[in-house]
Amino acid sequence: MISKTTIDKVYETSRLEEVIGDFVQLKKAGSNFKGLSPFSDEKSPSFMVSPVKQIWKDFSSGKGGNVVAFLMEHEHFTYPEAIKYLAKKYNIEIEETERTDEQKEEANERESMYLVSEFAQKHFVEMVWESELGKAIGLSYFKERGFTDETIKKFKLGYCLDKWDGFTLAALDKGYKLNYLEKTGLTIVKEDTSNPQNSKKFDRFKGRVMFPIHSMSGRVLGFGGRILTNDKKAAKYLNSPESDIYHKSKVLYGIYHAKQAIAKEDNCYLVEGYTDVIQFHQRGIHNVVASSGTALTPEQIRLINRLTKNITVLFDGDAAGLRASLRGIDLILEQGMNVKVCTFPEDEDPDSFAKNNEYDAVVAYLQENGKDFIQFKASLLMKEAANDPIKRADTVRDIVQSISKIPDRIQKEIYIQECAQIMNISEAVLFNTLAQIGNKGQKEAAKQQKQEQKAFKVVKNEEVQVKVDVQYELERKIIEQLLLYGKDVHTFEDLVLKENEDGDLVLEPESSEVKVYEKIYLDLQDDEIELANEKFRAIYYKLIEELNEKEDFAINSFLANLEQETISEISSILMEEEKYVLHNWESKDIFPKDKNSVIAQLVSETILTLRCYLIKKRMEALQNKTMDSSEDNKETLEEIMNYIHLNKLLNTKLNRVLA
């Protein structure tokens, strides 16, 4: 229920490259930006952003659109949520009307779960600041950890009262449904055997201090709760269960507050716990996130990979699970990222170290003690191997196994050389070991491929010919030309079909200076050509209407009033030419012609080619008619001859020779 004035202002103010830059590390590529796809796992960037057109296109997944489409795809926002997010980012006041009960009822399930989670966050924050128990227990705990009021408020830290159903009753009283309280895991519902009509309801986080877990855009996905009593039966930390909006393996704690600093510093510090992140942030080091006690996953690494190629993993000084944590390092290497490791002095962890040292001292320590993963892994494993030659050999294989994960061949070679020096072993032996690992991997991949071929009954040497839909491509090209050049005025040199004194069709030269959209509209109208593709036809008429009525046509404003599916289609059309930027043709001494210098020719050729194609289709239809009919086909044959003559003239205009 957001007013059109607000929506228009949001579109006018928002800068696509700035918004996407909060989620994806973008690099300049000519007049555009490019980066790794946030929708697929890729090593080479195929995600393009056009600041001029204010649209994006992901060539790996096929997705595309404007700024709102990106937020809806990436963050699973509804349209109103995306508009509100942008309004907040650009300090735009939102004009809206209160939603009715019916409209609230229509909200989809995911949105309802987000609304419940947002209410829970506000409730827990309210408890820690306004309730006596919350201040005495929750706030006191945060203060003891050394967190300032500003930090507590920034990370929305809270407290769930030590009551069986205090939060649940508060949520139900505000009109939130038990169904969504249960689905988000905030409330545990159990059947009451003595009274089946009245189920038992319990607060999952009863008596715990609360750490809300946010998405990259700041949405509340779930919670982490820490118990403050010495109850040995209860887990120290408790996380929200998996749900439609919360997936532990795809979330990093602190990413919302860290994303801009990670991109700016081109490095991400990876820690284990919530308080590590908060303490570092309070000390002034903002590019830090946590895996929240779970084993590091490829999805979490890819989340960082969108913002930077560099990760520094921070371990506790006395961390017992160091060796197990090395598996996480291998995962980082597999993603083609650069990884360093830094351990803290004994009895210290990132939380305590940041708390007990000033900003400059913490930064200096991280810079001086950050080790290359080879150095770190070698020193750690060699301590275990001691003087045992068998264990030492296993250590070497372990390190080479890690090096084999690296996609870049040059990096592999450099690390092999470094490993040879550290382990005092010849490079040749290490390269042979690396080759053996590579061959084993190739054999396994080939075996898997063979199994897949067998499973899906793929026939060898089968050639699949992809038939090009000529009419589809030509109509698509017309839409592209209307979008890009519709308002441009050009001189069109035409050879116009006219009848001479003998009644024959001939071509006579004629030039006219008109707008591109007028040229296209009039030519198609004269020939009574209507676009066959339903999507293109709908876009075509909307475009012609907009170009005709509005003096200042802007793609961004035009897209604002279209359905999401149509926006995606248009962005796909507009960004098609950006594929050439990805290929970097100029570095290969190939210089594609600038379209702007030949717009009139492009438009004319597209329309003429479409005419020729439709004439050819008509001729084929008439020829089939004569073959299937036993009647006198004199008139039909005359019509065919006229079309042949017309087709010849049109191809002459196109400088094409007919066989």
Side-chain angles (χ1 to χ4, degrees), residues 35-37 40-47 58 60 302 305 309:
L36 289 172
S37 166
S40 64
D41 179 17
E42 64 177 14
K43 301 295 187 291
S44 300
S46 69
F47 182 81
D58 178 25
S60 66
R302 284 197 285 271
N305 198 7
K309 282 283 183 187

Side-chain angles (χ1 to χ4, degrees), residues 290-309:
S291 57
S292 305
T294 61
L296 195 63
T297 66
E299 290 89 352
Q300 290 171 330
I301 297 166
R302 284 197 285 271
L303 207 58
I304 299 170
N305 198 7
R306 296 176 198 165
L307 302 169
T308 181
K309 282 283 183 187

Side-chain angles (χ1 to χ4, degrees), residues 18-33:
E18 292 174 354
V19 175
I20 293 181
D22 287 342
F23 302 91
V24 181
Q25 187 181 36
L26 298 173
K27 292 184 178 178
K28 199 79 170 140
S31 61
N32 299 317
F33 291 92

